[in-house]
Amino acid sequence: MSVSTPQIAIKLPHGEVANFQEMQVYGQTLQRFVREQEAGLAQIEDTQHHDQIIDYLQLLARSYNEQLRLYKAAEAQRQKAILVVLLRIGGSPDLQ
């Protein structure tokens, strides 16, 4: 009997254009999926299948972390651009 590696049912957002909510929802869904898969690993007797699941979970985590880094970099650029616009419009902000 051939058993397939489980698949996550939500698409990974692209970090450069995703918003906070998209990244958060995917992160929460991924954590739940990983916990569910890890809970079932003890019952898998086929070593190759077990290793495939582990590899897949690690791939998902690496992919999410890469997109999260891209999101954070893009968000920092967006915040910087907003600050530049605000400074140009209103001059130096009053810090008192």
Side-chain angles (χ1 to χ4, degrees), residues 11-71:
K11 186 177 178 195
L12 176 64
H14 294 283
E16 293 174 328
V17 295
N19 62 42
F20 177 77
Q21 183 178 7
E22 291 169 323
M23 295 303 295
Q24 185 178 39
V25 167
Y26 186 87
Q28 292 169 345
T29 302
L30 178 60
Q31 287 177 354
R32 187 171 44 253
F33 180 76
V34 168
R35 282 193 306 270
E36 290 169 359
Q37 296 310 309
E38 287 175 340
L41 282 175
Q43 286 79 30
I44 298 176
E45 296 176 10
D46 180 355
T47 304
Q48 183 177 2
H49 185 239
H50 181 277
D51 292 347
Q52 286 174 341
I53 292 173
I54 295 294
D55 290 345
Y56 180 64
L57 296 176
Q58 290 174 342
L59 173 66
L60 289 173
R62 280 192 309 273
S63 298
Y64 176 70
N65 287 335
E66 177 61 25
Q67 293 307 312
L68 189 57
R69 281 189 287 279
L70 291 172
Y71 167 78

